[in-house]
Amino acid sequence: MPGAKITLPPLTYAGEGALENLLPEVKKFGPSNILVITDPILLDIGLVEAVIWPLKAAGYKLDVYTDIEPEPPLACGEKLVDYTRAGGFDLILGVGGGSALDLAKLTAVLAAHEGPVKDYLNLTATRQVEHKGYPKILLPTTSGTGSEVTNIAVLSLESTKDVVTHDNLLADVAIVEPELTLSMPPRVTAATGIDALTHAVEAYVSIHANPTTDALALQAIRLISGSLRRAYRNGRDKEARSQMSYASYMAGLAFFNAGVAGVHALAYPLGGQFHIAHGESNAVLLSYVMGYIRTSCRKRMADVLEALGISTAYMSEEEASLRCVEELQRIVADVGIPATLQEFSIPESALPLLVEDGVKQKRLLARSPMPLEKKDIAAIYRAAFTGEVVEPL
C-alpha cells in the first residue's frame, strides 16, 4: 500500500504573539485591495479593529464584510462570492470562527471561477475547482473548528449540510493567536471545544488514521482534557485559552488528514434542519455514536481514555472503552451542553428525516471503523433522543 498522505497548510504561526506576523505576511503578497470577512459581533466589540489596525496604519485599502451567518446557508456563500467577484479584491483575510473562515476560503477560490457555488458542492457537483484563486490569510477567534488548517468549506442546505472541498481552499497563512479567543462567551467556548474534541476522537478511530495523525489527535485530547473546563469557567484564563488554541490546531490537522466520520455525518442534518450550532450538534451525538461503534475500536477508545487523564492500568479494553463513553458524556455535561435531542426541542417525529439525510453523508460515513448503515443510523438517533447509549443488536 502507498504511504499515508500528510497535508499541511503552507505556513502557520501559532501561540502567544502570533498576530505580530500578520503585517509582514500581508506585505509579501503586495495587495492593493483586501477583503476582510468577519462576524458582525467581532466588529462590534472591537476585536476586528485590533487585528487590522496595523494594516490600516501601513496604508492598505480594506473592505470589511460582515453579512455572514452562523452555520452559513448556501445563499450566504453565493452572495459573498458575487460580492468578491465584483470588488476587485486581491487578498482575502478571514477573522472569526468556523463560519467566517469557511466563507473566506470559499470566496477566495470560487470568486476566481465561473458559475454558482452550488455547482461545486460535494453531493451535487457539476463543476470542478481548477484555480487557486486569491491569497487567503485565516485568523481563528475560536478554539474548535480547525478551519484554518483544512481544505473544506461547509454550507447549510434546506435540511442538511454539504461542503466544497479541494486543496486549493487551504490557507496560504494561518495565524493561531490565543489572545483572539479571550472574548469567547462560555457557550461558544463549550461548543467549539467539544468540536475540537470530536475532531481528535474521530480522527484517532478513523480507518485512515496513521502514526502522525494519532500523535496529533492524542495530544489534542490531552490538552482539551486539561483546559476546556477551565476556559469554560474562566474565559480570561490565558493558559487554558492557549492550550485550547493549540489543541484545536492539532485536532484540525489530525482530522484533516485522517478524517471524521459518524458523529459529523449525523451532526450535519441537525444543523441543517434545526440550526443547532455545529459544535453542539457534535456534542449531543458524540457519546451515542462512540458507544454504538465501541466494539469496533476498543483498544483505540482505551487510548482516548488515557489521553483524557484516566489510567487504564487495571482495566480490560472492554472496561476502558465503556468508561471512555462515560467520560465523553461527563465532559459534555461539565460544559453545559444538553445531553439529548429532546433537550434541544427536537421532536420524535423528526427522527426519520434525520436518518434519511444522515445516510447521504457517505463521504464521512466511509471513514467509520464500523460500517454504519441506515438501521445503525436510526438506532443512534433514537439513542440520542432517549438518552440511552445502545450497541448494535
Side-chain angles (χ1 to χ4, degrees):
M1 292 181 62
K5 178 186 176 183
I6 305 295
T7 302
L8 303 174
L11 179 61
T12 301
Y13 297 96
E16 186 176 353
L19 187 58
E20 295 174 11
N21 296 284
L22 177 60
L23 179 57
E25 289 300 326
V26 167
K27 287 180 178 178
K28 292 178 183 179
F29 294 106
S32 59
N33 194 8
I34 302 172
L35 178 61
V36 181
I37 298 166
T38 192
D39 188 296
I41 295 175
L42 299 181
L43 185 65
D44 291 344
I45 65 174
L47 183 62
V48 175
E49 185 64 27
V51 169
I52 65 175
W53 76 261
L55 305 183
K56 287 184 174 180
Y60 287 105
K61 179 183 178 183
L62 297 104
D63 184 349
V64 179
Y65 185 96
T66 62
D67 191 9
I68 67 172
E69 304 172 35
E71 314 297 323
L74 175 60
C76 185
E78 299 280 14
K79 184 176 181 180
L80 174 56
V81 168
D82 288 342
Y83 185 87
T84 306
R85 286 171 176 165
F89 302 104
D90 52 6
L91 177 66
I92 308 298
L93 186 64
V95 182
S99 297
L101 301 191
D102 278 10
L103 287 171
K105 292 186 292 186
L106 181 84
T107 200
V109 174
L110 294 191
H113 289 70
E114 295 182 350
V117 173
K118 67 180 180 63
D119 288 355
Y120 296 88
L121 291 172
N122 175 69
L123 295 177
T124 56
T126 59
R127 299 174 186 260
Q128 299 297 316
V129 173
E130 297 176 351
H131 315 299
K132 189 173 184 301
Y134 306 112
K136 46 198 171 298
I137 300 176
L138 304 181
L139 297 92
T141 61
T142 64
S143 297
T145 70
S147 181
E148 71 276 8
V149 295
T150 70
N151 67 353
I152 303 167
V154 183
L155 294 169
S156 296
L157 306 181
E158 184 175 345
S159 62
T160 187
K161 294 184 178 183
D162 201 357
V163 302
V164 177
T165 178
H166 192 280
D167 280 355
N168 285 347
L169 271 73
L170 284 168
D172 294 277
V173 181
I175 297 177
V176 184
E177 170 60 75
E179 191 78 17
L180 298 181
T181 70
L182 294 178
S183 62
M184 265 196 298
R187 182 167 181 172
V188 177
T189 298
T192 56
I194 297 297
D195 193 18
L197 177 62
T198 304
H199 291 156
V201 171
E202 288 211 282
Y204 190 67
V205 303
S206 167
I207 63 170
H208 299 308
N210 61 68
T212 300
T213 60
D214 286 351
L216 290 165
L218 289 176
Q219 181 61 9
I221 293 168
R222 293 184 192 104
L223 290 174
I224 292 167
S225 175
S227 59
L228 176 56
R229 294 177 180 92
R230 288 166 51 200
Y232 173 72
R233 291 192 296 264
N234 176 14
R236 307 303 295 185
D237 184 332
K238 290 191 174 184
E239 181 184 28
R241 289 298 198 190
S242 180
Q243 290 180 356
M244 283 303 301
S245 287
Y246 276 114
S248 174
Y249 170 66
M250 287 186 283
L253 291 175
F255 95 81
F256 175 42
N257 285 283
V260 288
V263 180
H264 278 72
L266 275 60
Y268 277 7
L270 289 181
Q273 294 182 35
F274 295 97
H275 308 292
I276 299 173
H278 176 65
E280 294 186 354
S281 297
N282 279 335
V284 74
L285 291 168
L286 179 58
S287 63
Y288 302 107
V289 173
M290 298 310 299
Y292 194 85
I293 70 171
R294 179 185 63 81
T295 56
S296 68
C297 52
R298 289 187 185 93
K299 172 62 170 67
R300 294 224 146 211
M301 290 188 66
D303 294 341
V304 169
L305 183 62
E306 282 277 358
L308 288 170
I310 298 176
S311 174
T312 62
Y314 301 102
M315 299 183 196
S316 66
E317 288 181 2
E318 173 73 8
E319 292 169 332
S321 62
L322 286 167
R323 179 68 186 279
C324 181
V325 175
E326 295 174 356
E327 187 62 19
L328 293 174
Q329 288 180 312
R330 184 172 293 110
I331 292 173
V332 171
D334 285 349
V335 294
I337 298 177
T340 69
L341 298 183
Q342 291 187 73
E343 292 175 71
F344 280 100
S345 300
I346 295 175
E348 187 173 8
S349 60
L351 298 184
L353 183 55
L354 288 172
V355 173
E356 291 299 323
D357 284 337
V359 170
K360 296 175 184 177
Q361 297 296 331
K362 300 186 185 301
R363 176 183 66 89
L364 301 175
L365 293 170
R367 302 162 182 157
S368 175
M370 175 184 288
L372 295 175
E373 301 177 355
K374 186 173 182 178
K375 64 179 177 58
D376 304 304
I377 292 171
I380 292 169
Y381 276 129
R382 170 65 59 179
F385 182 79
T386 63
E388 181 181 359
V389 174
V390 299
E391 296 181 9
L393 296 176

